[in-house]
Amino acid sequence: MHRFTAVCLAGAFCFLISGSRAEASNLLPAAEEGIASVMTEAYEADPEADQKVLEEMTPSEYDGICIAQVNDYVNVRSEPNEESEILGKLYDNSAGTIEEETDGWYKITSGSVTGYVKADYVVTGDEAEALAAEVGERVATVTTQTLRVRTDASTDASVLGLIGEGEELTVTNEQDGWVQVSIEEGDGWVSTDYVDLRTDFVQAESKEEEEARLAEEEAAKEEGRRRAAEVEAKANSSSESSTQTVVGSGSGSSSGNAVVSFASQFVGNPYVYGGTSLTNGADCSGFVMSVYANFGVSLPHSSSAMRSVGYEVSLADAQPGDIICYSGHVAIYCGNNTIVHASTAATGIKYTSPANYRNVICVRRIF
């Protein structure tokens, strides 16, 4: 009640100023006193009244959002009818921004695509805002050279783990200048002073982008087949035999199993933050990078960057040698629902099962 009165008085005061300078001049002290009195009463009734008014007047970050709710995708068209040209696809749970509404169609912008989708296939308003919090992924990108992840939202809390600059972490909670993020050692807290925050949504894909993606995936597969043939030829020409037990043996390509066999011999060796030595110590991405380097494959020393190498497959289709990506972590799939990875300083390089012991962001295949 007080908040509503205060806003009305402020509006009346502005009207008086524009209507008559002389009258406004005379009324200025009285008006100021009246507004101040009402605001004081509002504050006394509710000390957080000002903040609540600001929150109510501030647009939601999801204002104007629409989210596709379909089995696979809905076409984005050039005009608001089903006969017009298809410009792209808005996939299930993908988000766009509504530009206008026309006869049961929404004109939206999503990614690089601007066009029309049938209103029946997207949700909007409060329903979309509620869904956005579920389907959007909150991400923190590290902006300092080495970020300390702490056990609690305080600089006095003990350090849970260390994360390098540029790494992207999944945010699980937020409070008072701190965000909780997921890393291999568990969920910990980092100051927002040292990360950039954003919310990621899957966006529409244009016809040209889809064609380029499919061509890139096919090229990556072809390169994988070429590398696999090289690895197999090298293995066949070698007179050396190994009694090493291969966790992933019996499924997948011979080259993928060769990667697992090579990686497995380093189980028990130490984890060292920033390290790349398979014997003296490596961190998670350093381990994967160095294992693949043995097969002539150059990979980045970054768990986030590894989400873009090779081509993507589903976790259900994972084969030995595939790279499993998590928030702030990366591993090599062995088969039998098991991974081998440089886990933590406490555990070193080890096997872990099941592979989805943490939320899997993506699976990438090199061979």
Side-chain angles (χ1 to χ4, degrees):
M1 185 66 175
H2 289 303
R3 291 197 297 271
F4 178 77
T5 305
V7 171
C8 287
L9 278 174
F13 181 50
C14 292
F15 176 78
L16 285 171
I17 289 177
S18 62
S20 171
R21 290 180 179 271
E23 187 173 358
S25 177
N26 293 332
L27 291 176
L28 183 58
E32 287 180 338
E33 289 177 7
I35 293 172
S37 174
V38 172
M39 292 302 289
T40 299
E41 290 177 16
Y43 182 81
E44 289 175 351
D46 182 356
E48 298 180 356
D50 290 352
Q51 181 62 33
K52 291 178 180 178
V53 170
L54 287 174
E55 290 176 357
E56 291 171 3
M57 294 176 66
T58 302
S60 163
E61 64 176 308
Y62 303 131
D63 273 2
I65 195 173
C66 67
I67 299 178
Q69 292 293 276
V70 290
N71 290 330
D72 190 1
Y73 64 86
V74 57
N75 288 320
V76 183
R77 296 183 178 272
S78 60
E79 301 292 338
N81 61 70
E82 294 182 353
E83 289 71 43
S84 61
E85 179 187 2
I86 296 174
L87 302 178
K89 297 175 179 178
L90 187 69
Y91 294 92
D92 185 42
N93 284 335
S94 296
T97 302
I98 298 173
E99 308 289 346
E100 62 183 41
E101 182 178 4
T102 305
D103 298 327
W105 292 74
Y106 291 118
K107 183 179 182 181
I108 69 162
T109 295
S110 179
S112 66
V113 183
T114 297
Y116 294 87
V117 296
K118 206 164 186 180
D120 295 342
Y121 300 119
V122 297
V123 295
T124 62
D126 292 342
E127 186 177 359
E129 290 195 25
L131 185 59
E134 297 177 20
V135 302
E137 181 186 8
R138 195 71 164 150
V139 177
T141 302
V142 180
T143 58
T144 189
Q145 186 173 11
T146 301
L147 178 64
R148 294 178 177 84
V149 183
R150 299 185 179 274
T151 56
D152 205 353
S154 168
T155 54
D156 295 327
S158 60
V159 175
L160 181 65
L162 302 174
I163 298 293
E165 186 173 10
E167 293 292 351
E168 297 185 347
L169 306 173
T170 300
V171 175
T172 56
N173 199 359
E174 300 183 47
Q175 69 173 45
D176 301 329
W178 292 79
V179 290
Q180 188 180 47
V181 295
S182 177
I183 63 172
E184 174 62 10
E185 291 84 352
D187 286 355
W189 295 86
V190 298
S191 168
T192 54
D193 292 338
Y194 304 109
V195 295
D196 286 335
L197 295 171
R198 70 175 191 273
T199 303
D200 285 350
F201 295 96
V202 178
Q203 296 182 317
E205 185 177 49
S206 70
K207 289 172 62 177
E208 295 77 14
E209 288 169 337
E210 181 181 23
E211 291 169 1
R213 173 178 58 80
L214 294 175
E216 184 178 346
E217 287 179 358
E218 184 55 38
K221 291 177 183 178
E222 181 60 33
E223 177 65 10
R225 287 190 287 267
R226 183 188 67 78
R227 287 172 171 170
E230 290 179 354
V231 171
E232 187 169 358
K234 182 179 178 181
N236 291 337
S237 65
S238 174
S239 60
E240 297 178 2
S241 61
S242 172
T243 57
Q244 175 80 28
T245 300
V246 181
V247 179
S249 182
S251 63
S253 67
S254 58
S255 52
N257 277 291
V259 168
V260 174
S261 179
F262 180 74
S264 297
Q265 65 184 300
F266 303 106
V267 169
N269 287 349
Y271 171 101
V272 175
Y273 175 76
T276 59
S277 172
L278 296 173
T279 53
N280 296 326
D283 59 16
C284 64
S285 58
F287 173 70
V288 176
M289 180 184 75
S290 296
V291 167
Y292 266 93
N294 184 69
F295 297 90
V297 179
S298 178
L299 295 178
H301 191 183
S302 163
S303 60
S304 298
M306 285 187 186
R307 299 174 195 173
S308 301
V309 301
Y311 59 96
E312 186 169 9
V313 297
S314 68
L315 181 60
D317 292 330
Q319 295 178 1
D322 288 349
I323 297 173
I324 311 291
C325 300
Y326 310 86
S327 171
H329 193 61
V330 67
I332 295 173
Y333 187 65
C334 299
N336 300 323
N337 204 17
T338 301
I339 59 171
V340 60
H341 59 142
S343 179
T344 68
T347 60
I349 298 171
K350 67 170 192 170
Y351 296 117
T352 295
S353 184
N356 62 345
Y357 74 109
R358 293 177 56 200
N359 181 57
V360 174
I361 292 178
C362 65
V363 181
R364 308 297 296 190
R365 180 166 296 162
I366 304 298
F367 296 132

